[in-house]
Amino acid sequence: MPFKDIGLPHHCVILLQGFAECRSFGSLGQQEGFVALTARRSRLHPGTRYLARGLNSCYSTGNEVECEQLVWVPRRSGQTVPFNTYIWRRGTIPMWWGAELKLTSAEAEIYVSNRDPYKGSLQYYQRLSNRYDTRNLIGAKKKNSTVPIVCVNLLRSGEGKSESILVQHFVESLNYIRSTRKLQNSRIYLINYDWHANIKYKGEQQTIEGLWRHLKEPTVTVGISDGDYLPSRQRFKDCRGEIISTDDVEGAFCLRSHQNGVIRFNCADSLDRTNAASFFGSLQVFMEQCRRLGISLDSDLAYGYQSSVNDNYGAYTAPLPPGWEKRSDAVTGKIYYIDHNTRSTTWVHPCPDKPWKRFDMTFEEFKRSTILSPVNQLADLFLLAGDIHATLYTGSKAMHSQILSIFNEEAGKFKQFSAAQNVKITLQRRYKNHVVDSSRQKQLEMFLGMRLFKHIPSVALHPLQVQSRPFACFLKPVASMFPSSHGGASLLSFKRKDLIWVCPQAADIVELFIYLGEPCHVCQLLLTVSHGADDSTFPSTVDVRTGPNLDRLKLVLEGATIPQCSHGTNLLIPLPGPISGQDMAVTGAGARLNCQDTSSISLLYDFEELEGQLDFLTRVVAVTFYPATSGRSSMTLGEMEVLGVSLHWRGIFTNEGHGARLYDIAKKSQKETNPFSSVGSDINPFAEASYDNASQLNSSANSPLVDLLTGEITRVDAIQQPVRENINYSGGVDLLDFLDGADIQPSHSHGDFTSPSSQDGKSYLDNGAKQYISCFRSLIGQNSERRLDFAEAMKLEVERLRLNLSAAERDRALLSIGTDPATINPNALIDQSYMGRLCKVANSLALLGQAALEDKTTAAIGLENTDSSKSIDFWNISKIGESFCGSSTCEVHAEIVGATPAPSTSSLFLCCQCQRKACKVCCAGGGALLLSSYDSSGCQSQLDVTTNQSVTMDRVICKTCCHDIVLHALMLDHIRVLISSRRSSRADNAAQKALDQVIGFSKNDRSLPWDPQQAIMVRKHLLNGEESLAEFPFASFLHSVETAPDSAPYLSLLAPLNSEPRHSYWKAPSSASCVEFCIVLGSLSDVSGVLLVISPCGYSTADAPSVQIWASNKINKEERSCVGKWDIKSLISSDSSFHGPENLGRDSKVPRHVKFAFRNPIRCRIIWIMLRLQRPGSASVNLEKDFNLLSLDENPFSQEVKRRASIGGQIETEPCLHAKRILVVGTSVKKEMDIESTQGSDTIKVKAWLERLPQLYRFKIPVEAERLCNNDLVLEQYLPPVSPLLAGFRLDAPSAIKPRVTHSPSLGVDIWDTSITFLEDRYISPAVLHIQVSILQESDNMVTVAEYRLPEAKPGTQMYFDFPQKMQTRRISFKLLGDIAAFADGPAESDNIGFGSSPVATGLSLSNRIKLYYYADPYELGKWASLSAV
């Protein structure tokens, strides 16, 4: 996935685990052929010996291997190469079984599942049937034949043998599959052949003979595949079969015949016996393969006769009769035969050999009649393959392999060491099974990308991108003590991790304006702590503002604490989106931030979540640092990074990859005609429309019109009132309020956007709030004083999320009827012990649900359809008012309310446990089946999310058979899913809004704006060998630009030419006579000129602007330099091509444009362009004189409406500014600016200042006693009566992680893609921790003295926090606050934690994490005091 996302789908090669080796062989010492053995291990059930046996939930067996034996005859270059191939399988028995190791017994105890042991066996054979069904392929033998699947079972079947139970169940499983009659096109044959018993009682030779007798008919029936490799595609006409070719290979493969069906070998582990039996079965096939290729391995023909290859189409080589001769065609190389007796020729051998003749031979006959050197070569391959597979599965070599050397003259030597070797291997396997199998299992799953949510729970599937490099820059130079600092560029360079940036002396604040390399939604700020010997020089607090430009910066973080740490420490600060002040005032999380009570910590979910604005066009990040003590000393800074998520702009503009999907979904979601495209935009708006015409369009907004571009009938929406895009919103107004009206349906994909207008959205929110209040009143009934219980509060939250109300909207609705929102908070309605157990069950359900979805996706591989539609979903949470049993035939009545239920025709389901009929309301969700192992107390011994679990999700369980904690866990998980769906929908709507602000959408223009090849040619002619330096998304505007309401977005001026409809263009309001564009280029560049692409309507003398251009590297206008000034009106008077509508046919190579060339290239990063409109002096414009070149025939309204001077203004005398594109051309500076090392007196002084030791050191304050409470989130320390003044405390960073998976997957969601933006929940609403400090005053009251926002750091990082002032007390308390529920323990800690432990992550415990300190002079305290230093 990651390689595909970055445009390298073929970068990651396909990897196979298994074996591949080849050998050459021949007779009389001459090479005649090659044999290759390949074995591919299945990824559907990976694992080690005792952890991957039998079937799993993906319908695959453990140690499943597909083997292929390929034989070919080498030819000279350019000639056809004949080959044939044979495929077989090996694996454990396809049913649910396992083996348990016992320390007291030599063998493992085999058991078969007592619940649905044959579930999935049918799907396994269906997968085999689909894979090896070649009846309909070209070259198939029988069109109407079945697909044979032959199972060769090598298990011990004797009485008293541990494997006999598997033999019995194997027979029963096949009988069960035949009884289903779902394999109509396949026939399964079972051959029970006790390998060890036959070896013991009959010997090796008779065992081999018996195996050949059993395999003869199946092997002949299945057959082999014959074909040729054609080195040139010009020989395709010679092929008499199926042609297989790829673009990567020059030649092609011609398959004349196909193997139909497969033979499958199995023993208990699919190891030793399987490898031996498959060798002797494949040996017979090898003989037949050589015979068909004309390679004779008969020993009686080896002397006096040299075998040769056959022709290209499968004739067989044998001794020729007298009078016959064999020759080859000089042109094609094909073999033909001459009969001198009749003077005739033929392509067919006159005496073909008998096929499969060695199946009828005894072992001794086979040995005497066969050249054994090729047989031994094949045996060596199987010996190597057996050792490889055994090592991968058990960690040791294969056992009982001496039988493979039975044809070797030195076979007796192998038997001498086999017994001792087998004992050694047995002990080795037993040791590794006990010690290392679990870690090897984890490695396999991680390598295959399975169960990543368990093994690496905190790693993101789509990591955040560092947008502060490589093309980011500072908009203002950062002041430094060094004279040559290049404005602070090294602060954004990852190569300068050890950088110590020294700001000027006694700076009160340091403000940095970072221009990001690409627009994104900013999620995190990474700071590298840098200082000298004194760590107090690094800033203590930071503010962060973000926005698309300087005019629209919004505060996202204020007063965040930066602890004092050692040099080089990385601190990660999560950044939420801008939060509305109104929401913060009404929602408890913001109003009670400084007085939170740990007794009501939101462990279930964040009941008071504040939703910040999401903006994927954020381009400027303003970071303000404050020192610990103002004016005391200089501040030091270190390297910093801004991390975020950007849209796939390249794919959006080129309509490729994930960007094409985002573009199509966003365009499809548009409900209205694009307001950014003027009607009749190919006509000059300043010469044709009238105010009356606009009114007429308004009045007939719903009347159909014919689109002159596409010929389709469309509807023209009403023209909206003018809106200025550079409005600075304030007063707590959320720019994304309209998103709150989006109806989130978790059962649908997140690609369906909903973006109602502001009025419709307001009406929808009012209706949603009213419906929510109605649900609340229906729960409390007539008694307004009644309190909701836990289950009712949870159901009310489900309804709130279904109505798509935010927490703030919910609180407003409740406060409007006089209800305190805190009274319905589910986190406060149950006790802590039950809440802890409920969280554990819900977290387990989340992991099990993710595992079930992953297995379902994997199980679909090789099967046509595995999705079983169910009437009951994963949660089955009924709506309020519908949650009661309404069926008289229901036998459960778990949700009955009031009188006897009325008759109903609703569907009934059979409970899998109590076998009673239940209606849908009385049934638990499908997720309850995953929690069936919980006992009556709601506990589970161990969580198993491996693929070895057998969970039948197509069954039903009623609510009375489920524990209450399971039902509550389903409801809690459903709420978490709805919250996640709302977050994803907000992100998707924010992405759509970003696309609207850059491209805009038009339903009238349904085709691509430009043909891709044509766009490349246009770009090439425009640039004339230079680079486009100001192209979105790498370049952008530093300030907002005034834009008319019926105009394209102003960002479209920098978008690629093929990114929007060709008739769309930007237009300023008619009231604006001057517009200034401040463009930040993608990188430092040598600019040679600016190109202004003229709008499709063209210019006239009334709207032709004058252009003035400046250049600079700083944002201050006073420091910019003027490049030149041009008047377009003079160009128009001399060139008539700028007048009138543009010819946009395919023959037009370059759109009309004006180039403003500079005298000399200017190296800069910022370009200012001012367009000024020269207002005409008269009250009107002469239509005849100024617009005589504009054709009236181009206007669809010309016959109905009188022409006028301007459509942008309210009166005829108001033309407006407009343009299609702005291109800045030149050459980018590729070389990175390095910081020059300066040597001087200032540098020496700075280094000396950095090495200066602090005057005061930190020393530990002894504590008499400590007490932990509230799940170790509160630490109370008792100090001695005489103790120094408290200066601060040291906190060791917690070891808890933020897991990626916190709930079950939504219905219909993809396991790899939860949002089209790839923005995860934990970045949309980041979890933040706070630590609150309280002290005991003389009045015996605990008073809060400070609260600190904790950054994220490496576990165990020592962070020092100074108190606002020094203080003295006998007792001090530390409370950990914030989003506690969002943190969990890592995999290592989770394995050692029992179910009954604390619901809070142990990594958040304050035990042994906090140390108090005071400041003192080390010389005054003496040497002994330094021993207690913190």
Side-chain angles (χ1 to χ4, degrees):
M1 292 295 291
F3 286 107
K4 184 178 180 181
D5 293 342
I6 63 177
L8 299 173
H10 304 293
H11 190 72
C12 186
V13 298
I14 298 176
L15 301 177
L16 299 177
Q17 186 185 54
F19 175 81
E21 189 65 52
C22 69
R23 292 284 190 274
S24 62
F25 65 92
S27 59
L28 294 177
Q30 297 183 3
Q31 175 183 314
E32 294 193 6
F34 281 89
V35 56
L37 179 62
T38 60
R40 301 173 287 269
R41 301 193 76 206
S42 173
R43 68 179 179 90
L44 301 182
H45 193 179
T48 54
R49 184 183 184 189
Y50 289 103
L51 298 178
R53 280 191 173 188
L55 278 178
N56 67 345
S57 52
C58 300
Y59 314 135
S60 183
T61 62
N63 201 19
E64 184 82 5
V65 184
E66 183 185 64
C67 305
E68 183 174 4
Q69 184 172 278
L70 175 66
V71 181
W72 74 94
V73 177
R75 288 291 185 89
R76 293 191 301 269
S77 177
Q79 292 186 344
T80 301
V81 179
F83 70 91
N84 49 40
T85 179
Y86 169 67
I87 298 176
W88 71 97
R89 304 275 291 214
R90 48 184 290 182
T92 57
I93 297 180
M95 61 184 183
W96 287 93
W97 68 279
E100 184 178 358
L101 285 172
K102 300 290 186 179
L103 295 177
T104 57
S105 60
E107 294 186 358
E109 181 180 347
I110 296 177
Y111 63 90
V112 179
S113 176
N114 54 7
R115 176 186 296 179
D116 295 332
Y118 313 136
K119 176 178 173 56
S121 299
L122 175 63
Q123 288 82 354
Y124 173 79
Y125 291 110
Q126 286 178 342
R127 184 182 284 126
L128 292 183
S129 178
N130 295 337
R131 182 171 181 82
Y132 301 107
D133 184 2
T134 60
R135 295 170 298 159
N136 297 325
L137 298 178
I138 301 175
K141 296 180 179 179
K142 299 179 181 179
K143 296 292 183 180
N144 298 324
S145 61
T146 60
V147 181
I149 300 176
V150 183
C151 299
V152 182
N153 180 27
L154 305 172
L155 293 173
R156 295 185 178 98
S157 58
E159 184 178 355
K161 299 297 183 180
S162 60
E163 297 176 353
S164 60
I165 185 176
L166 296 179
V167 178
Q168 299 173 7
H169 279 279
F170 201 175
V171 176
E172 294 177 5
S173 67
L174 295 182
N175 293 334
Y176 162 75
I177 293 173
R178 296 188 186 104
S179 65
T180 61
R181 297 184 179 181
K182 293 184 179 181
L183 286 176
Q184 299 294 333
N185 299 325
S186 302
R187 291 293 182 268
I188 304 177
Y189 304 94
L190 176 61
I191 300 175
N192 285 318
Y193 193 72
D194 190 336
W195 182 263
H196 284 322
N198 280 275
I199 292 288
K200 181 178 180 180
Y201 296 109
K202 297 181 180 180
E204 295 179 346
Q205 296 185 7
Q206 293 188 21
T207 300
I208 297 172
E209 294 173 2
L211 179 65
W212 285 346
R213 288 193 296 268
H214 284 91
L215 291 180
K216 177 182 178 181
E217 183 177 355
T219 305
V220 174
T221 303
V222 170
I224 61 177
S225 300
D226 294 286
D228 300 291
Y229 172 71
L230 307 176
S232 174
R233 300 196 177 189
Q234 298 177 355
R235 300 188 181 181
F236 281 7
K237 60 181 184 336
D238 298 332
C239 180
R240 301 178 185 176
E242 180 187 9
I243 297 178
I244 302 176
S245 62
T246 60
D247 297 335
D248 300 334
V249 181
E250 180 181 357
F253 296 90
C254 173
L255 291 179
R256 299 188 304 273
S257 63
H258 296 271
Q259 173 182 333
N260 183 45
V262 68
I263 298 178
R264 184 183 187 278
F265 296 88
N266 77 266
C267 58
D269 299 322
S270 181
L271 287 176
D272 312 318
R273 288 169 285 180
T274 300
N275 190 57
S278 60
F279 164 70
F280 291 106
S282 302
L283 179 59
Q284 291 286 353
V285 179
F286 176 67
M287 296 292 108
E288 177 65 16
Q289 288 178 291
C290 292
R291 188 191 68 83
R292 294 192 182 186
L293 293 175
I295 303 175
S296 177
L297 298 181
D298 295 336
S299 59
D300 54 348
L301 300 176
Y303 299 96
Y305 173 77
Q306 181 178 349
S307 63
S308 59
V309 296
N310 68 316
D311 61 77
N312 291 334
Y313 300 105
Y316 307 132
T317 300
L320 295 174
W324 283 78
E325 182 183 4
K326 179 180 66 175
R327 293 183 182 179
S328 61
D329 188 275
V331 179
T332 64
K334 295 169 58 178
I335 303 297
Y336 65 96
Y337 303 90
I338 303 175
D339 185 3
H340 294 286
N341 301 318
T342 60
R343 296 185 178 181
S344 60
T345 59
T346 180
W347 297 103
V348 181
H349 196 285
C351 300
D353 199 1
K354 179 183 177 181
W356 306 102
K357 65 179 182 180
R358 284 180 169 78
F359 263 125
D360 300 326
M361 296 181 181
T362 64
F363 180 83
E364 290 298 333
E365 292 174 347
F366 181 95
K367 190 174 182 179
R368 288 195 306 266
S369 62
T370 306
I371 301 176
L372 296 181
S373 59
V375 175
N376 292 327
Q377 293 276 25
L378 184 64
D380 290 340
L381 292 178
F382 274 83
L383 283 171
L384 292 175
D387 289 341
I388 291 295
H389 292 307
T391 303
L392 293 174
Y393 194 52
T394 67
S396 65
K397 293 184 177 181
M399 298 171 56
H400 309 290
S401 300
Q402 70 279 359
I403 193 173
L404 271 68
S405 305
I406 194 172
F407 295 102
N408 197 318
E409 296 180 357
E410 300 179 353
K413 296 182 180 180
F414 293 96
K415 293 183 179 180
Q416 297 178 5
F417 303 99
S418 60
Q421 185 72 12
N422 291 339
V423 172
K424 177 182 177 182
I425 294 176
T426 301
L427 296 176
Q428 185 179 5
R429 287 183 179 179
R430 180 59 62 92
Y431 169 78
K432 292 192 174 182
N433 295 150
H434 278 285
V435 178
V436 300
D437 269 8
S438 58
S439 61
R440 292 179 61 232
Q441 180 79 22
K442 180 179 179 180
Q443 294 170 10
L444 285 173
E445 292 180 354
M446 292 178 62
F447 180 78
L448 295 175
M450 302 174 62
R451 304 297 190 263
L452 296 182
F453 57 86
K454 174 188 175 184
H455 302 310
I456 43 177
S458 61
V459 176
L461 294 179
H462 304 280
L464 297 178
Q465 304 160 353
V466 182
Q467 300 296 345
S468 56
R469 64 171 189 256
F471 300 112
C473 65
F474 285 108
L475 295 176
K476 290 183 178 180
V478 183
S480 174
M481 297 289 290
F482 295 98
S484 299
S485 57
H486 294 284
S490 58
L491 287 172
L492 301 178
S493 175
F494 68 98
K495 299 179 180 179
R496 303 299 302 272
K497 286 289 184 181
D498 57 343
L499 172 72
I500 302 178
W501 187 274
V502 182
C503 298
Q505 183 72 21
D508 292 336
I509 63 171
V510 175
E511 191 171 27
L512 310 179
F513 289 89
I514 304 175
Y515 176 82
L516 303 180
E518 191 171 340
C520 68
H521 172 66
V522 176
C523 300
Q524 295 174 348
L525 175 65
L526 179 63
L527 301 178
T528 301
V529 178
S530 296
H531 52 74
D534 188 1
D535 58 5
S536 63
T537 59
F538 198 76
S540 62
T541 55
V542 61
D543 295 343
V544 180
R545 292 174 294 159
T546 62
N549 47 55
L550 289 177
D551 301 335
R552 297 168 61 182
L553 291 177
K554 293 184 178 181
L555 185 66
V556 298
L557 184 66
E558 183 178 12
T561 306
I562 302 178
Q564 299 174 14
C565 306
S566 60
H567 176 75
T569 302
N570 290 326
L571 299 178
L572 191 65
I573 302 177
L575 299 177
I579 301 175
S580 169
Q582 298 176 359
D583 291 350
M584 295 183 65
V586 73
T587 305
R592 297 189 299 271
L593 183 62
N594 294 324
C595 58
Q596 295 186 28
D597 186 6
T598 53
S599 61
S600 60
I601 294 177
S602 298
L603 293 180
L604 302 180
Y605 66 97
D606 191 358
F607 179 76
E608 299 171 332
E609 178 182 350
L610 289 172
E611 297 180 350
Q613 176 185 342
L614 304 178
D615 188 1
F616 287 96
L617 293 180
T618 299
R619 203 56 184 264
V620 180
V621 177
V623 184
T624 306
F625 293 104
Y626 300 91
T629 303
S630 179
R632 189 182 70 175
S633 62
S634 299
M635 275 194 294
T636 57
L637 301 177
E639 189 263 345
M640 60 190 67
E641 297 178 0
V642 179
L643 293 86
V645 175
S646 61
L647 301 181
H648 294 253
W649 292 108
R650 179 177 298 179
I652 293 172
F653 294 144
T654 60
N655 199 29
E656 296 176 351
H658 185 76
R661 175 192 169 200
L662 176 62
Y663 181 87
D664 293 340
I665 293 176
K667 189 173 182 180
K668 183 180 178 181
S669 67
Q670 295 297 313
K671 306 292 184 179
E672 302 173 350
T673 303
N674 182 18
F676 303 135
S677 181
S678 303
V679 179
S681 57
D682 55 345
I683 306 301
N684 191 333
F686 315 120
E688 58 180 317
S690 65
Y691 184 74
D692 298 334
N693 185 24
S695 303
Q696 186 174 359
L697 288 176
N698 238 338
S699 62
S700 61
N702 296 324
S703 60
L705 297 175
V706 177
D707 187 355
L708 300 180
L709 298 177
T710 62
E712 300 179 1
I713 298 178
T714 60
R715 295 185 180 272
V716 181
D717 294 343
I719 299 179
Q720 302 178 1
Q721 295 299 320
V723 177
R724 295 169 65 94
E725 287 197 14
N726 63 341
I727 294 178
N728 198 358
Y729 291 89
S730 61
V733 178
D734 192 352
L735 293 179
L736 296 184
D737 280 342
F738 74 97
L739 296 182
D740 297 335
D743 186 12
I744 301 177
Q745 297 294 339
S747 59
H748 298 162
S749 64
H750 301 311
D752 298 329
F753 293 109
T754 54
S755 56
S757 62
S758 58
Q759 296 180 356
D760 295 340
K762 181 66 176 177
S763 175
Y764 180 86
L765 289 176
D766 291 343
N767 292 335
K770 292 178 181 178
Q771 294 181 36
Y772 177 78
I773 295 175
S774 177
C775 293
F776 173 74
R777 287 175 173 170
S778 65
L779 288 176
I780 63 175
Q782 299 297 330
N783 185 9
S784 59
E785 302 295 332
R786 178 177 174 269
R787 296 292 184 93
L788 300 181
D789 60 18
F790 174 74
E792 291 173 336
M794 295 285 283
K795 289 183 179 180
L796 187 60
E797 279 294 277
V798 171
E799 290 299 325
R800 188 262 297 184
L801 293 168
R802 285 175 175 173
L803 294 172
N804 196 28
L805 296 179
S806 65
E809 292 167 343
R810 173 204 62 206
D811 293 349
R812 291 191 188 99
L814 292 174
L815 292 174
S816 66
I817 60 174
T819 302
D820 185 5
T823 59
I824 65 167
N825 185 356
N827 295 281
L829 297 179
I830 54 177
D831 58 82
Q832 290 287 338
S833 60
Y834 184 79
M835 183 187 299
R837 291 191 292 124
L838 177 59
C839 289
K840 289 290 184 179
V841 177
N843 294 338
S844 299
L845 179 63
L847 297 181
L848 292 172
Q850 291 287 340
L853 175 62
E854 184 178 296
D855 293 343
K856 180 181 177 181
T857 306
T858 306
I861 299 175
L863 295 176
E864 296 178 357
N865 185 16
T866 60
D867 188 13
S868 57
S869 59
K870 293 179 56 179
S871 301
I872 299 178
D873 62 12
F874 191 83
W875 307 277
N876 194 31
I877 307 298
S878 302
K879 295 183 178 180
I880 295 179
E882 300 178 1
S883 58
F884 62 90
C885 179
S887 175
S888 59
T889 56
C890 177
E891 300 176 357
V892 177
H893 302 307
E895 297 287 344
I896 188 169
V897 177
T900 304
S904 176
T905 58
S906 61
S907 302
L908 295 177
F909 305 89
L910 185 65
C911 177
C912 62
Q913 292 193 4
C914 64
Q915 302 300 318
R916 292 185 297 174
K917 296 180 180 179
C919 62
K920 182 178 180 181
V921 176
C922 296
C923 292
L929 297 171
L930 299 176
L931 300 174
S932 58
S933 60
Y934 283 85
D935 55 25
S936 59
S937 62
C939 297
Q940 187 185 32
S941 59
Q942 186 177 0
L943 176 64
D944 182 17
V945 294
T946 63
T947 58
N948 297 324
Q949 56 176 344
S950 174
V951 179
T952 308
M953 293 294 293
D954 53 358
R955 299 186 301 173
V956 173
I957 184 172
C958 68
K959 292 183 178 180
T960 57
C961 294
C962 294
H963 195 270
D964 289 341
I965 197 171
V966 174
L967 299 178
H968 290 164
L970 288 173
M971 196 174 301
L972 174 58
D973 185 70
H974 189 46
I975 290 177
R976 292 176 176 177
V977 169
L978 292 177
I979 292 175
S980 176
S981 299
R982 176 177 171 83
R983 292 173 180 173
S984 298
S985 181
R986 290 175 52 225
D988 296 344
N989 279 278
Q992 176 197 350
K993 182 180 179 181
L995 263 66
D996 259 339
Q997 295 178 0
V998 175
I999 301 175
F1001 301 95
S1002 173
K1003 284 191 175 181
N1004 296 330
D1005 218 341
R1006 299 181 183 274
S1007 59
L1008 283 177
W1010 293 81
D1011 179 81
Q1013 297 298 327
Q1014 184 183 8
I1016 295 176
M1017 295 301 299
V1018 169
R1019 177 185 174 90
K1020 182 177 180 181
H1021 283 85
L1022 282 176
L1023 299 179
N1024 193 21
E1026 294 183 296
E1027 300 178 30
S1028 178
L1029 305 175
E1031 191 168 288
F1032 189 86
F1034 306 107
S1036 185
F1037 292 106
L1038 194 58
H1039 300 280
S1040 299
V1041 180
E1042 293 181 303
T1043 304
D1046 55 346
S1047 166
Y1050 68 86
L1051 285 175
S1052 65
L1053 290 169
L1054 303 181
L1057 286 174
N1058 61 334
S1059 61
E1060 66 173 358
R1062 299 175 63 178
H1063 299 79
S1064 176
Y1065 58 91
W1066 169 83
K1067 183 169 58 177
S1070 58
S1071 60
S1073 62
C1074 179
V1075 174
E1076 186 177 72
F1077 305 98
C1078 183
I1079 305 175
V1080 183
L1081 306 182
S1083 62
L1084 186 66
S1085 307
D1086 294 330
V1087 182
S1088 61
V1090 175
L1091 273 71
L1092 183 67
V1093 180
I1094 300 176
S1095 307
C1097 60
Y1099 280 127
S1100 66
T1101 56
D1103 60 341
S1106 62
V1107 179
Q1108 189 171 2
I1109 302 176
W1110 295 266
S1112 176
N1113 285 321
K1114 303 177 182 179
I1115 61 177
N1116 299 326
K1117 291 185 177 181
E1118 295 79 8
E1119 302 182 24
R1120 64 183 183 179
S1121 58
C1122 182
V1123 178
K1125 187 175 182 180
W1126 296 264
D1127 188 4
I1128 298 182
K1129 184 181 294 185
S1130 61
L1131 300 177
I1132 293 177
S1133 59
S1134 60
D1135 190 352
S1136 62
S1137 63
F1138 295 107
H1139 288 276
E1142 183 178 12
N1143 180 17
L1144 297 177
R1146 297 183 62 88
D1147 296 335
S1148 59
K1149 294 184 178 180
V1150 181
R1152 295 179 298 182
H1153 64 279
V1154 180
K1155 183 174 182 179
F1156 310 106
F1158 301 167
R1159 294 182 179 179
N1160 298 307
I1162 299 177
R1163 178 164 295 187
C1164 61
R1165 186 69 189 265
I1166 303 177
I1167 291 288
W1168 278 270
I1169 302 175
M1170 178 182 290
L1171 300 182
R1172 186 181 298 274
L1173 194 62
Q1174 303 295 334
R1175 295 293 186 183
S1178 58
S1180 63
V1181 180
N1182 190 332
L1183 183 65
E1184 298 267 343
K1185 182 179 296 184
D1186 294 335
F1187 300 94
N1188 56 358
L1189 297 178
L1190 185 59
S1191 174
L1192 294 177
D1193 296 336
E1194 299 290 335
N1195 185 3
F1197 310 107
S1198 59
Q1199 298 179 1
E1200 302 177 4
V1201 184
K1202 185 178 179 180
R1203 303 176 56 79
R1204 48 171 289 143
S1206 175
I1207 194 175
Q1210 301 295 324
I1211 57 178
E1212 294 185 359
T1213 60
E1214 291 185 337
C1216 65
L1217 297 166
H1218 59 95
K1220 176 69 176 179
R1221 287 289 187 278
I1222 297 178
L1223 299 178
V1224 180
V1225 297
T1227 305
S1228 60
V1229 179
K1230 303 296 183 180
K1231 184 178 179 181
E1232 184 178 355
M1233 301 298 295
D1234 295 328
I1235 302 298
E1236 299 178 0
S1237 59
T1238 59
Q1239 297 292 335
S1241 59
D1242 294 337
T1243 305
I1244 298 175
K1245 292 180 180 179
V1246 170
K1247 290 183 177 179
W1249 178 79
L1250 291 174
E1251 295 174 357
R1252 186 176 59 187
L1253 298 176
Q1255 296 180 357
L1256 301 178
Y1257 278 42
R1258 300 185 186 96
F1259 293 90
K1260 179 181 178 181
I1261 297 179
V1263 177
E1264 287 185 345
E1266 291 185 347
R1267 185 170 69 95
L1268 291 168
C1269 55
N1270 286 8
N1271 298 312
D1272 292 353
L1273 298 180
V1274 177
L1275 174 65
E1276 294 183 353
Q1277 292 184 341
Y1278 297 86
L1279 306 177
V1282 179
S1283 62
L1285 293 177
L1286 305 181
F1289 65 96
R1290 189 193 80 184
L1291 173 66
D1292 296 341
S1295 59
I1297 63 173
K1298 289 191 287 188
R1300 177 174 54 88
V1301 173
T1302 58
H1303 57 80
S1304 300
S1306 303
L1307 297 178
V1309 75
D1310 190 278
I1311 59 176
W1312 298 105
D1313 183 10
T1314 57
S1315 171
I1316 62 175
T1317 60
F1318 295 138
L1319 186 59
E1320 297 182 1
D1321 289 359
R1322 50 184 174 172
Y1323 302 137
I1324 298 176
S1325 295
V1328 180
L1329 295 177
H1330 299 260
I1331 189 164
Q1332 187 181 91
V1333 183
S1334 303
I1335 63 173
L1336 180 66
Q1337 289 187 337
E1338 295 180 357
S1339 58
D1340 294 336
N1341 294 327
M1342 297 296 295
V1343 178
T1344 301
V1345 294
E1347 183 174 317
Y1348 305 91
R1349 188 182 196 266
L1350 299 181
E1352 298 179 16
K1354 183 180 179 180
T1357 300
Q1358 297 178 357
M1359 300 183 293
Y1360 298 90
F1361 298 88
D1362 287 346
F1363 293 140
Q1365 59 184 4
K1366 296 181 180 181
M1367 52 192 177
Q1368 191 166 15
T1369 182
R1370 288 294 309 277
R1371 189 176 72 179
I1372 187 170
S1373 173
F1374 299 91
K1375 296 181 182 180
L1376 194 64
L1377 307 174
D1379 303 317
I1380 303 296
F1383 291 85
D1385 291 306
E1389 293 82 1
S1390 299
D1391 295 339
N1392 300 325
I1393 297 175
F1395 184 85
S1397 59
S1398 171
V1400 180
T1402 58
L1404 296 179
S1405 173
L1406 296 181
S1407 177
N1408 297 324
R1409 290 189 182 274
I1410 294 180
K1411 302 291 187 295
L1412 294 172
Y1413 62 82
Y1414 67 98
Y1415 284 108
D1417 190 341
Y1419 297 100
E1420 295 179 2
L1421 291 177
K1423 185 181 299 183
W1424 292 103
S1426 62
L1427 296 179
S1428 60
V1430 177

